[in-house]
Amino acid sequence: METETLQIVDMTKEYAGIISGWKYGGAYSIYDESEENIDGFMNGAHFACTDASGELIGYFCFGEDARIPTVEENVYDDNFIDIGLGLKPDLCGRSLGLTFLKKGLQHARDIYGATSFRLTVAAFNERAIKVYERAGFCTEREVTHLQSNQKFLIMKHE
């Protein structure tokens, strides 16, 4: 999969419905969505990502929707654009993450003029953290999710 073969398109109810059914399994189930969130995907901050054949392979969100509620206060400032992403579960672990992430970063540059990015990732998710580090992200701090008490890392790329 090459970055040029990926397309980022507006989110649709159909795409949101498909994404809401994705199940990651095990510890990664914290990334599962539910049908209750379909309308949340339609707020303009979410975009679908398709491959060369038009198949949905993932999604991106930008801004406040990419943040998590934390026990710690004031962990997000406005100097960065937050990026959230989800790759289709059966594509995870197939060395597609860096290409996928680069496409999302380019989209944020194109539509928001962004040059500084931030993302939040579960601290146990070593596979994703390695991808983010290869893309130039560095861990800024560890935070605690307000509802689950799980540890997350805030990573930045400037």
Side-chain angles (χ1 to χ4, degrees), residues 3 20 29 31 40 44 49 60 69 73 83 109 111 121 127 131 146:
T3 306
S20 72
S29 65
Y31 295 116
C49 184
F60 294 96
E73 295 183 13
I83 181 171
R109 287 183 192 99
I111 66 169
V121 59
R127 185 170 61 192
V131 169
L146 185 61

Side-chain angles (χ1 to χ4, degrees), residues 140-152:
E140 178 197 57
R141 68 183 291 183
E142 184 178 89
V143 295
T144 308
H145 192 282
L146 185 61
Q147 283 92 26
S148 71
N149 274 342
Q150 289 197 22
K151 298 297 181 185
F152 281 74

Side-chain angles (χ1 to χ4, degrees), residues 10-112:
D10 289 339
M11 184 61 69
T12 66
K13 285 251 187 196
E14 179 183 354
Y15 288 145
I18 293 168
I19 293 165
S20 72
W22 288 351
K23 302 298 178 211
Y24 291 92
Y28 296 99
S29 65
I30 65 164
Y31 295 116
D32 292 354
E33 294 290 345
S34 76
E35 290 186 18
E36 297 169 9
N37 294 338
I38 289 176
D39 288 339
F41 278 101
M42 303 306 300
N43 66 1
H46 292 77
F47 297 85
C49 184
T50 61
D51 65 13
S53 68
E55 182 179 343
L56 179 67
I57 64 155
Y59 71 92
F60 294 96
C61 66
F62 302 99
E64 287 187 32
D65 279 12
R67 299 175 182 178
I68 64 166
T70 62
V71 170
E72 301 81 7
E73 295 183 13
N74 303 315
V75 298
Y76 296 106
D77 59 40
D78 291 331
N79 298 324
F80 293 81
I81 184 148
D82 291 281
I83 181 171
L85 59 152
L87 189 61
K88 186 177 178 180
D90 64 355
L91 297 177
C92 292
R94 298 168 110 192
S95 300
L96 304 173
L98 186 58
T99 300
F100 178 68
L101 173 60
K102 285 181 177 180
K103 186 66 175 185
L105 293 174
Q106 186 58 54
H107 188 71
R109 287 183 192 99
D110 292 346
I111 66 169
Y112 299 110

